[in-house]
Amino acid sequence: QVDRYLYHMRLSDDVLLDVMARFQAEMVKGLGRDTNPTATVKMLPSFVRSLPDGSEKGDFLAVDLGGSQFRAHQVKVFDDGKQSSQLESKFYPTPKEVIQGNGAELFDYVADCLLDFMETKNLKHKKLPLGFTFSFPCKQNKLEEGVLLAWTKHFKVRGVQDTDVVSSLRKALQKHKANVNVLALVNDTVGTMMTCGYDDQRCEVGLIIGTGTNACYMEEMRHIDLVEGDEGRMCINTEWGAFGDDGALDDLRTEFDRELDLGSLNPGKQLFEKMISSLYLGELVRLILLKMTKEGLLFNGKVSTALLTKGKIEMKHVSAMEKYKEGLSNTKEILTELNLFPSEEDCIAVQHVCTIVSFRSANLCAAALAAILTRLRENKKLLRMRTTVGIDGGLYKTHPQYAKRLHKVVRRLVPNCDVRFLLSVSGSGKGAAMVTAVAYRLAAQRKQIDAALAPFLLSLETLREVKNKMRTELEYGLKRETQASATVKMLPTYVCGTPDGTEKGKFLALDLGGTNFRVLLVKIRSGRRRSVQMYNKIFAIPLEIMQGTGEELFDHIVQCIADFLEYMGIKGARLPLGFTFSFPCRQASIDKGTLVGWTKGFKATDCEGEDVVDMLREAIRRRNEFDLDIVAVVNDTVGTMMTCGYEDPNCEIGLIAGTGSNVCYMEDMKNIEIVEGNEGKMCINTEWGGFGDNGCIDNIRTKYDKEVDEGSLNPGKQRYEKMTSGMYLGEIVRQILIDLTKQGLLFRGQISESLRKRGIFETKFLSQIESDRLALLQVRRILQQLGLDSTCEDSIIVKEVCGAVSKRAAQLCGAGLAAIVEKKRENQGVEHLQITVGVDGTLYKLHPHFSRVLRETVKELAPQCDVTFMLSEDGSGKGAALITAVAKRLHNVGQK
């Protein structure tokens, strides 16, 4: 009979999954800026951005206002490696005249009680941080501010609603001369999560099931429209009690729920809470028993006064009647006390009613909690998630069956979440202290992190200084008497023109600069159908050849050329050839290049100090199968400029911002003292990576730059390159991360074995980390690869470090480039210069911010120059062919 009677209170798993989906939709609505005003689940940001990480320490005060008693706490958090804390509390009554008086009286009372507590604990001489647990719905704009939306729980204090309760408390404390710093305002649900989070770092959900019910959890910032910023996470206080206030649960509400709601203090409000919380479940049982009795199903149809009296059956009665181990004795005793004289069947039926009512509560609570857990799992993009729910509240703690039922249903609804339920001890008081302790830790950490990264923040003044010093060094490199000792070598390339569009013909190009070697056939057409067609083949250079003899290396290169000519069917043609050779060379003419020194892992013997063009010619002669006209030996930076120059005649600068960093530009011959002749222009390969090797930029080098330099293959050399190029930026970041970890600011002070390895933090990681819009998931994945178990806060700091290092690199690069465009403007003697820079390199192409910061810096430092940046398409291959074509054209003009 009871089952038939209460059929609508029994919820199947399908119904619960449906409730779960409805709640998820409400969460999304509550998080959206436009949809929040009409959402019933308000999803209030708490401005708690971080969970305890175990390194918190110190003495904290907490006050807790929200129930029949006001509490003051002292919490000592010990940094003893055991993560221990000590809580001492004192309870004060909250008299009726205070909770129904005016705001000034309420906060005076709170200040009085706190001062009394400090006196008893002998704390008046100390200035302690304080956390304020205020268990009423508040709108927060920061952690230490909260505007009261509405009083609940019988509180009716005048003049407080719509005001900031923290400033009211501060005023009262000042008036009483209390030496206290209010750092955080916390809801009791958040306090529960933080208390449990101190004991279990997986805890990211807080749940209260007692007189009231609520949940909070850590949400991704990118989903919280109500708060600026999209980095990291923030705790959201769902205020889920109002779920269904818009009719979303009407199909599940029974006639008893409606009757209970109509008789409540706030009809139509907090409908979900009225189906779940202990404040209402006893009353729900009373209404059901009353109707059943009236219909003659119980107590022989005799309605006692107790059944007619609102609030007569309380949650404690329901809990006691569900103690099945005691059989029916509890039920019989309670019903007899209420002047109901039950038969055994009556007792069984009443016990059954209590079970169904409290079971429905656990079911609904489980469905909403499952929605939160699913959201957390999806946010983290995990197939399976381990997490902990911190939980508090009388219903959960004292009801004999509730916890077990809740756990069981949650695990059934979210089988892909391994959930641990952790009971909170004094969540609201200790939790407020924990929030304060975390805020305190973060403020101290922020100071240390800012101090570590401060040297990377370059003022406009400093960047101007770098630009001026670069200009001085460029001049030294061009002058005969200072060139030998100049750090910026300003190597003449003997490339004396850029494409003018009349170039045509077939050209071969070779590209040697890494572990792969390319041979290209480039067909250039002029006139109206101007175009460049390219065919190429890539050949590997085995390590034994890279590090063998020079003869073996060049024989291998010629073997690759022979294979390519065979493949293209052009073995008999004597084609002009351009050789891109991306190693530092000193040139005496366009087709002569003496290798200064190998880089990039090459160590072939008998090459340094030799002319690489001669070595190539000899290898061709040794093979004696074909002949080639080697016209030009080319640096990849020059190739980049020429490729872009073919598209845009205004391009007279080439920039490489990749593994290495370098610039070339067209300089007036009259300024190049180390080359004969004053007419026209010649491309100068600056080799600017050596800028600063004479100590001129030591004032901006950080201790991390010095560590990277000392650990490199060429200490003291290429200092500017080591601050601006992709080869070194990851290593700078690694040094900073190690330093911050040693200071205990990252990874709980634990340096992983892999982070100790030089070069492990690749520069591509910077690009990936700084492109991460996915809630730092990419950052965490990269850190996991490096054996670093990172928290969300760690990920934010790592991203900040990467940002500081790459921004400085782009700004320094921009300052150097500004010196060159300014020099070009002065060379031309114009007020305003329009010029194009051809650019190549992975750092410029792939990093999310590098190119923008570089462009902005040039604009700022060279305001009279209008600089266009043009991406080079295959500068090292196509560029070599174009240089060969231009050299051929100029040679023919010279002969005529």
Side-chain angles (χ1 to χ4, degrees):
Q1 273 183 327
V2 174
D3 277 354
R4 201 167 61 244
Y5 207 78
L6 296 180
Y7 175 73
H8 288 300
M9 283 197 167
R10 288 186 171 276
L11 306 175
S12 68
D13 278 3
D14 284 346
V15 170
L16 293 177
L17 288 166
D18 185 37
V19 171
M20 191 173 144
R22 293 182 212 181
F23 189 75
Q24 274 179 306
E26 271 304 307
M27 289 167 77
V28 172
K29 213 168 150 186
L31 289 170
R33 183 176 280 120
D34 300 334
T35 46
N36 175 275
T38 57
T40 55
V41 178
K42 281 299 174 204
M43 306 295 279
L44 302 173
S46 68
F47 291 83
V48 169
R49 295 171 187 267
S50 176
L51 293 160
D53 73 352
S55 68
E56 291 77 15
K57 59 176 184 284
D59 267 13
F60 303 92
L61 289 172
V63 290
D64 183 359
L65 182 70
S68 54
Q69 288 181 313
F70 168 73
R71 291 178 290 177
H73 311 271
Q74 180 193 7
V75 182
K76 288 183 183 205
V77 186
F78 302 103
D79 185 20
D80 52 6
K82 295 179 194 154
Q83 255 182 264
S84 54
S85 63
Q86 185 185 318
L87 174 77
E88 292 186 41
S89 308
K90 192 169 177 185
F91 292 74
Y92 297 88
T94 40
K96 196 169 180 186
E97 62 271 19
V98 169
I99 63 172
Q100 299 194 349
N102 67 44
E105 288 163 356
L106 171 70
F107 290 105
D108 276 345
Y109 180 72
V110 170
D112 273 337
C113 296
L114 181 63
L115 275 169
D116 172 74
F117 177 71
M118 289 172 77
E119 213 152 87
T120 56
K121 297 284 167 210
N122 195 22
L123 297 171
K124 282 189 97 170
H125 59 288
K126 287 186 177 180
K127 185 169 176 72
L128 291 177
L130 174 123
F132 182 17
T133 303
F134 188 73
S135 306
F136 305 95
C138 279
K139 184 180 184 325
Q140 289 187 253
N141 289 316
K142 45 186 176 205
L143 185 59
E144 69 282 17
E145 179 191 286
V147 174
L148 175 65
L149 297 177
W151 285 115
T152 55
K153 310 177 195 173
H154 312 303
F155 274 68
K156 283 198 176 70
V157 184
R158 296 184 301 281
V160 181
Q161 204 168 317
D162 300 323
T163 67
D164 173 20
V165 295
V166 175
S167 58
S168 301
L169 177 60
R170 280 188 180 137
K171 270 182 211 149
L173 290 167
Q174 272 165 1
K175 196 164 113 190
H176 289 67
K177 297 192 169 48
N179 198 12
V180 172
N181 184 13
V182 186
L183 279 190
L185 177 76
V186 186
N187 173 285
D188 53 351
T189 322
V190 180
T192 295
M193 180 187 77
M194 293 299 269
T195 301
C196 296
Y198 183 67
D199 299 319
D200 178 345
Q201 280 164 3
R202 286 190 190 276
C203 181
E204 47 195 346
V205 180
L207 177 61
I208 301 246
I209 317 167
T211 323
T213 180
N214 194 14
C216 69
Y217 73 103
M218 295 301 286
E219 176 59 88
E220 304 295 340
M221 281 290 288
R222 67 201 162 108
H223 294 148
I224 310 171
D225 278 358
L226 313 165
V227 178
E228 288 304 310
D230 58 1
E231 297 282 83
R233 304 194 298 167
M234 183 182 283
C235 179
I236 289 290
N237 164 19
T238 65
E239 288 293 339
W240 77 6
F243 175 41
D245 286 6
D246 57 353
L249 296 175
D250 281 3
D251 55 329
L252 300 179
R253 290 171 71 227
T254 63
E255 57 179 301
F256 307 111
D257 295 308
R258 292 190 177 88
E259 195 178 336
L260 179 142
D261 177 41
L262 286 172
S264 70
L265 290 170
N266 54 350
K269 299 265 189 283
Q270 300 293 103
L271 297 182
F272 188 60
E273 183 164 85
K274 284 170 185 167
M275 296 166 87
I276 289 182
S277 82
S278 61
L279 192 62
Y280 300 100
L281 295 192
E283 182 61 7
L284 209 50
V285 168
R286 182 188 74 82
L287 292 171
I288 295 165
L289 298 185
L290 176 62
K291 184 166 184 190
M292 288 177 78
T293 308
K294 280 181 177 172
E295 291 184 12
L297 298 172
L298 284 176
F299 314 125
N300 294 322
K302 287 177 187 162
V303 177
S304 74
T305 321
L307 275 186
L308 292 167
T309 310
K310 189 176 166 186
K312 198 70 184 168
I313 297 179
E314 295 174 42
M315 192 63 223
K316 62 180 182 188
H317 299 133
V318 178
S319 294
M321 288 193 274
E322 282 193 77
K323 286 183 178 160
Y324 304 135
K325 283 180 183 164
E326 267 123 80
L328 298 174
S329 62
N330 274 351
T331 309
K332 192 173 177 76
E333 198 178 304
I334 289 162
L335 294 174
T336 308
E337 272 175 27
L338 295 171
N339 288 329
L340 298 159
F341 299 101
S343 64
E344 191 169 319
E345 285 75 25
D346 289 338
C347 289
I348 291 169
V350 170
Q351 201 176 55
H352 205 45
V353 168
C354 291
T355 300
I356 289 172
V357 167
S358 61
F359 214 133
R360 183 185 70 160
S361 163
N363 272 335
L364 288 171
C365 194
L369 179 58
I372 289 173
L373 293 169
T374 301
R375 184 168 178 88
L376 269 176
R377 185 180 61 75
E378 287 170 356
N379 279 350
K380 293 179 179 184
K381 300 204 169 359
L382 294 173
L383 292 173
R384 189 166 196 89
M385 176 179 79
R386 268 182 73 192
T387 193
T388 299
V389 175
I391 199 160
D392 202 351
L395 182 55
Y396 182 87
K397 285 177 175 174
T398 59
H399 189 286
Q401 318 295 330
Y402 199 96
K404 198 165 62 189
R405 288 171 186 163
L406 178 76
H407 300 175
K408 215 170 173 179
V409 182
V410 168
R411 289 184 177 124
R412 220 167 51 232
L413 295 178
V414 279
N416 44 11
C417 293
D418 301 318
V419 190
R420 177 187 180 209
F421 290 87
L422 183 60
L423 198 57
S424 161
V425 182
S426 66
S428 50
K430 186 176 168 187
M434 277 303 156
V435 172
T436 311
V438 169
Y440 207 63
R441 163 174 67 79
L442 292 177
Q445 270 185 357
R446 177 43 44 206
K447 249 189 200 152
Q448 287 172 276
I449 290 159
D450 287 350
L453 297 182
F456 289 87
L457 303 175
L458 303 179
S459 67
L460 204 52
E461 207 35 62
T462 304
L463 290 169
R464 275 202 190 97
E465 212 177 281
V466 172
K467 177 186 87 167
N468 297 338
K469 286 176 178 172
M470 176 67 88
R471 177 64 188 267
T472 305
E473 296 296 315
L474 298 174
E475 302 290 358
Y476 281 161
L478 289 171
K479 291 195 167 30
R480 189 175 279 112
E481 68 271 18
T482 48
Q483 208 276 337
S485 62
T487 55
V488 179
K489 284 294 175 204
M490 305 297 278
L491 304 173
T493 65
Y494 296 86
V495 170
C496 294
T498 51
D500 68 357
T502 63
E503 293 77 16
K504 59 178 190 279
K506 284 183 186 173
F507 302 88
L508 274 182
L510 310 181
D511 178 11
L512 179 70
T515 49
N516 286 333
F517 167 65
R518 278 194 315 158
V519 186
L520 303 96
L521 172 66
V522 183
K523 294 180 181 176
I524 304 174
R525 296 169 78 160
S526 61
R528 271 191 321 172
R529 298 171 68 193
R530 207 170 81 118
S531 67
V532 177
Q533 278 180 305
M534 292 194 293
Y535 309 89
N536 75 65
K537 206 165 183 192
I538 295 173
F539 301 90
I541 298 189
L543 189 66
E544 62 272 18
I545 300 255
M546 281 168 74
Q547 301 187 353
T549 66
E551 203 166 278
E552 286 168 337
L553 172 65
F554 281 91
D555 282 347
H556 178 74
I557 287 171
V558 171
Q559 170 71 56
C560 297
I561 297 170
D563 289 354
F564 179 75
L565 296 175
E566 187 90 52
Y567 171 73
M568 294 299 296
I570 50 169
K571 214 166 191 179
R574 187 174 187 271
L575 295 174
L577 177 140
F579 185 10
T580 299
F581 186 75
S582 303
F583 302 92
C585 281
R586 203 171 283 286
Q587 287 186 249
S589 66
I590 194 164
D591 63 348
K592 287 196 185 319
T594 304
L595 176 63
V596 176
W598 284 119
T599 56
K600 305 176 196 177
F602 276 73
K603 284 201 181 95
T605 56
D606 309 322
C607 295
E608 292 182 6
E610 298 295 326
D611 179 359
V612 294
V613 177
D614 283 348
M615 293 184 83
L616 180 61
R617 282 191 180 122
E618 277 163 29
I620 292 171
R621 214 170 289 130
R622 274 198 299 277
R623 192 171 179 95
N624 200 19
E625 269 184 37
F626 53 85
D627 197 13
L628 296 170
D629 174 16
I630 305 168
V631 174
V633 62
V634 183
N635 174 281
D636 52 353
T637 320
V638 185
T640 295
M641 180 187 78
M642 293 300 264
T643 305
C644 295
Y646 183 70
E647 305 293 334
D648 178 352
N650 229 2
C651 179
E652 291 203 342
I653 300 176
L655 166 67
I656 300 265
T659 314
S661 175
N662 195 13
V663 158
C664 70
Y665 72 103
M666 296 303 288
E667 177 59 89
D668 291 0
M669 281 292 284
K670 62 175 187 284
N671 296 332
I672 312 171
E673 291 185 5
I674 46 177
V675 176
E676 292 302 311
N678 284 329
E679 290 304 305
K681 296 178 183 177
M682 181 186 285
C683 180
I684 290 289
N685 165 19
T686 64
E687 286 295 339
W688 79 359
F691 173 49
D693 289 2
N694 57 0
C696 70
I697 54 171
D698 279 3
N699 60 318
I700 58 166
R701 287 175 78 227
T702 65
K703 61 177 181 176
Y704 310 111
D705 294 308
K706 288 169 187 156
E707 279 161 7
V708 169
D709 179 34
E710 281 157 21
S712 69
L713 293 170
N714 53 350
K717 300 264 190 286
Q718 300 294 96
R719 287 180 177 177
Y720 181 65
E721 182 165 75
K722 284 170 187 167
M723 295 164 88
T724 54
S725 82
M727 191 162 184
Y728 301 98
L729 298 189
E731 184 58 16
I732 299 173
V733 168
R734 187 183 76 89
Q735 293 290 352
I736 300 171
L737 298 186
I738 286 175
D739 187 33
L740 294 180
T741 308
K742 281 179 182 167
Q743 291 181 51
L745 302 171
L746 270 178
F747 315 128
R748 298 186 186 86
Q750 304 296 310
I751 301 173
S752 71
E753 270 316 300
S754 52
L755 191 62
R756 292 180 196 278
K757 288 182 196 147
R758 186 169 294 283
I760 193 83
F761 201 97
E762 297 172 50
T763 295
K764 69 173 181 188
F765 293 162
L766 271 81
S767 293
Q768 290 166 357
I769 284 169
E770 289 187 70
S771 311
D772 193 350
R773 315 300 295 164
L774 295 172
L776 307 166
L777 288 174
Q778 202 146 299
V779 186
R780 293 183 86 161
R781 205 167 293 131
I782 289 166
L783 295 174
Q784 259 163 359
Q785 284 169 26
L786 299 175
L788 296 160
D789 181 21
S790 66
T791 63
C792 181
E793 289 71 40
D794 290 337
S795 303
I796 291 172
I797 294 167
V798 170
K799 191 169 178 181
E800 200 180 328
V801 169
C802 292
V805 170
S806 62
K807 183 179 181 182
R808 183 192 66 162
Q811 285 180 322
L812 286 175
C813 209
L817 193 55
I820 285 171
V821 296
E822 274 291 314
K823 185 170 194 333
K824 288 286 295 171
R825 186 179 70 77
E826 287 172 28
N827 282 357
Q828 289 186 27
V830 292
E831 188 69 27
H832 201 88
L833 175 74
Q834 277 208 326
I835 194 161
T836 299
V837 177
V839 199
D840 203 352
T842 46
L843 200 53
Y844 187 90
K845 285 180 173 174
L846 302 180
H847 190 281
H849 313 300
F850 189 93
S851 60
R852 174 182 54 79
V853 176
L854 170 71
R855 291 194 302 269
E856 284 168 2
T857 309
V858 174
K859 196 170 186 175
E860 187 80 58
L861 297 179
Q864 289 164 280
C865 303
D866 186 2
V867 185
T868 304
F869 288 82
M870 183 179 186
L871 265 183
S872 156
E873 294 302 324
D874 191 30
S876 46
K878 186 175 166 184
L882 284 164
I883 288 168
T884 308
V886 170
K888 276 300 220 192
R889 170 171 64 78
L890 294 176
H891 179 70
N892 293 341
V893 169
Q895 279 190 329
K896 281 178 194 167

